[in-house]
Amino acid sequence: MKINTPSNSSTITGFILLGFPCPKEEQILLFVLFTVLYLLTLMGNGCIICAVCWDQRLHTPMYILLANFSFLEIWYVTSTVPNMLANLLSDTKVISFSGCIIQFYFFFSLGSTENFFLAVMAFDRYLAICRPLHYPTIMTTHLCTKLVINCWVFGFLWFLIPIIIVSQMSFCGDRIIDHFLCDPGPLLAHTCKKAPVIELVFSTLSPLPLIFPFLFIMGSYALVLRAVLKIPSAAGRKKAFSTCGSHLAVVSLFYGSVLVMYGSPTSEHEAGMQKIVTLFYSVVTPFLNPMIYSLRNKDMKTALQKFLEI
């Protein structure tokens, strides 16, 4: 596919996101597919938020966290899909420097926030199963509110200093990024002057919001599994597993794809595989999450049915 590119210059003001280079007809089909996925994602997560707000029975920490998580998913998918859709219909595929930096910041900040929320939701399930008698006194509305605020604040503060530093750097070369979003690897590869310190900062900071929440989640569920196995009745064990089944499914989808992407050196991944894996955890997973939570949760299904009947 031919892309109309502006003439190169030693110092550039924007980038070219190749996206999904294919014939125009296929690009239109992809545009329709991603538009439908995006709209369904907004509707699904929006319905969960409305159901939690509308049904008084769902005004509990578990569902407050779920509503915030759904709100996060709406913005997470919005940080990539609208620009990707515009890119599919564009001939030049150009994204401005400021647009690239803003997308990079929001995509990774929202991704960090998602990791923190998944960890907090695992902590909530740990308390509900391992400390059921103390759960109401520990996981109060006040504590839940503080945890929610901390997830949002720390998620958006994590990449603030690195992104400010990157925004002050100069970029040279052909300014072509073989991806559908502004990823730090290709960005730093186009700097006019190599900055090993900045690369070290990114390589150090980027995995931490992924690794620590993941280890915390695994530790929480190890304790949950130990507690569940001690329950004498099969019905009791089934009920305990059902309270965390949806969260486990979401964790498996998100971390499974992310670990495939970032668990090994970038050089081992071809550009096409990078796009597919990134597409899965940034677009497909937010689309699937509402179905996972609504189909596996009786209270949520009931609330959604009543809300949709209004």
Side-chain angles (χ1 to χ4, degrees), residues 152-227:
W152 285 105
V153 171
F154 282 109
F156 276 83
L157 285 179
W158 197 265
F159 284 98
L160 187 58
I161 293 178
I163 204 66
I164 290 175
I165 296 174
V166 171
S167 66
Q168 304 300 315
M169 300 175 72
S170 298
F171 295 85
C172 305
D174 58 12
R175 71 180 186 175
I176 296 176
I177 297 177
D178 191 6
H179 213 311
F180 62 84
L181 56 81
C182 292
D183 201 58
L187 274 179
L188 294 177
H190 284 83
T191 54
C192 296
K193 183 179 181 181
K194 294 301 178 183
V197 175
I198 302 301
E199 293 180 6
L200 178 63
V201 169
F202 269 108
S203 62
T204 303
L205 288 179
S206 297
L208 295 183
L210 179 69
I211 294 172
F212 286 134
F214 178 73
L215 294 177
F216 181 85
I217 292 169
M218 292 299 99
S220 297
Y221 275 112
L223 296 174
V224 167
L225 179 62
R226 187 178 68 175

Side-chain angles (χ1 to χ4, degrees), residues 64-232:
I64 291 173
L65 290 171
L66 177 56
N68 274 273
F69 187 75
S70 294
F71 181 71
L72 166 69
E73 293 288 66
I74 289 174
W75 287 106
Y76 189 45
V77 75
T78 300
S79 69
T80 57
V81 173
N83 183 75
M84 183 171 62
L85 294 176
N87 184 280
L88 285 168
L89 298 181
S90 171
D91 291 327
T92 60
K93 314 294 183 184
V94 173
I95 182 173
S96 67
F97 174 75
S98 59
C100 191
I101 292 296
I102 290 171
Q103 184 192 59
F104 170 35
Y105 173 66
F106 276 94
F107 180 74
F108 281 91
S109 294
L110 289 165
S112 298
T113 305
E114 180 160 356
N115 282 284
F116 296 145
F117 264 111
L118 289 173
V120 170
M121 294 166 81
F123 175 65
D124 176 71
R125 294 301 83 205
Y126 158 76
L127 289 177
I129 295 174
C130 299
R131 305 285 297 276
L133 298 179
H134 298 92
Y135 179 81
T137 56
I138 297 176
M139 185 56 78
T140 61
T141 304
H142 177 67
L143 176 60
C144 182
T145 302
K146 287 178 64 176
L147 290 172
V148 167
I149 293 173
N150 284 333
C151 285
W152 285 105
V153 171
F154 282 109
F156 276 83
L157 285 179
W158 197 265
F159 284 98
L160 187 58
I161 293 178
I163 204 66
I164 290 175
I165 296 174
V166 171
S167 66
Q168 304 300 315
M169 300 175 72
S170 298
F171 295 85
C172 305
D174 58 12
R175 71 180 186 175
I176 296 176
I177 297 177
D178 191 6
H179 213 311
F180 62 84
L181 56 81
C182 292
D183 201 58
L187 274 179
L188 294 177
H190 284 83
T191 54
C192 296
K193 183 179 181 181
K194 294 301 178 183
V197 175
I198 302 301
E199 293 180 6
L200 178 63
V201 169
F202 269 108
S203 62
T204 303
L205 288 179
S206 297
L208 295 183
L210 179 69
I211 294 172
F212 286 134
F214 178 73
L215 294 177
F216 181 85
I217 292 169
M218 292 299 99
S220 297
Y221 275 112
L223 296 174
V224 167
L225 179 62
R226 187 178 68 175
V228 170
L229 292 177
K230 291 180 180 180
I231 299 175

